Amino acid sequence: KIALFVGGSQDEGEFVAVCQAEAAEITKGAFGDVYSTAIGCALEVEAEVFLGTYQSFLGMEGQAAKMKKRGMSWNNQMKVLGAGISAARAGSKAYAEVDKLQKEAQTRNPSIEGGSGINEEHMKQATEKIEASLPVFLELAWAINTQDIARTLKQACRRLFHDAAEILPLETRLKRAEGV
């Protein structure tokens, strides 16, 4: 999508309109607004680092953008860690509660050998305990997903800005970063 803008076939206004339309499509999906924000933030910081490195005095803006990027990365890593700990606690708690329900059911009905001894009421309680812990697991999954989005877009931007450094002039690579 960026090739038309970089090549001059598309002016900035047209390019922005195309990008906004694509972002609108992303936001239509489940959790689309959250994905769109994560994607936009990751792309923006990668472009800021590249542009700041080459377009500011002594690359100072690039260094500031790198610090911002490191802060965002650190923040996300702490979210993954915190969500992982919370998920482990929630999982252990749910397992213990379900195990307790199962043991209570077996105590009440010892005639059932090899079976779980859980009636519908106990099964409902066990299901509720497990379902109550699901938000914690979803939080962990989202934190990991956000980290994956940032890493993937970092590699894509690296290829876009640096891989053709020997072939493409700096002006073209800067134009790519402006497009991003």
Side-chain angles (χ1 to χ4, degrees):
K1 296 205 185 252
I2 202 166
L4 295 175
F5 174 68
V6 173
S9 303
Q10 200 174 49
D11 69 15
E12 186 175 345
E14 292 171 323
F15 180 68
V16 168
V18 168
C19 292
Q20 287 174 340
E22 185 174 358
E25 279 298 312
I26 292 171
T27 60
K28 288 180 184 176
F31 303 105
D33 55 338
V34 180
Y35 277 112
S36 185
T37 301
I39 291 167
C41 189
L43 287 173
E44 183 178 28
V45 76
E46 292 298 331
E48 285 175 355
V49 168
F50 186 77
L51 290 169
T53 300
Y54 290 100
Q55 291 184 331
S56 65
F57 178 70
L58 298 176
M60 294 303 288
E61 288 180 23
Q63 292 302 316
K66 283 180 186 178
M67 293 298 291
K68 176 182 171 183
K69 180 179 165 183
R70 282 189 194 118
M72 290 170 52
S73 177
W74 176 256
N75 184 31
N76 193 46
Q77 288 174 2
M78 292 300 106
K79 283 182 181 178
V80 170
L81 179 62
I85 291 170
S86 296
R89 284 183 185 154
S92 294
K93 184 178 176 184
Y95 176 78
E97 289 174 0
V98 170
D99 192 44
K100 178 182 168 189
L101 287 171
Q102 187 176 16
K103 286 179 182 177
E104 285 175 5
Q106 286 176 342
T107 302
R108 288 187 198 143
N109 197 355
S111 63
I112 300 175
E113 290 187 28
S116 66
I118 296 179
N119 62 22
E120 283 187 42
E121 180 63 30
H122 287 111
M123 186 63 77
K124 184 178 178 183
Q125 288 176 344
T127 302
E128 288 173 359
K129 301 287 184 186
I130 292 170
E131 286 178 356
S133 64
L134 285 180
V136 177
F137 291 105
L138 291 174
E139 184 180 335
L140 174 62
W142 176 247
I144 292 169
N145 198 8
T146 301
Q147 194 172 42
D148 184 50
I149 288 169
R151 286 180 180 165
T152 300
L153 293 176
K154 174 185 175 181
Q155 294 302 318
C157 287
R158 180 175 287 152
R159 291 190 66 161
L160 193 61
F161 306 151
H162 297 286
D163 272 5
E166 301 85 31
I167 302 167
L168 293 175
L170 179 60
E171 294 78 29
T172 302
R173 294 183 293 131
L174 288 171
K175 185 80 170 177
R176 286 178 171 185
E178 288 172 16
V180 169

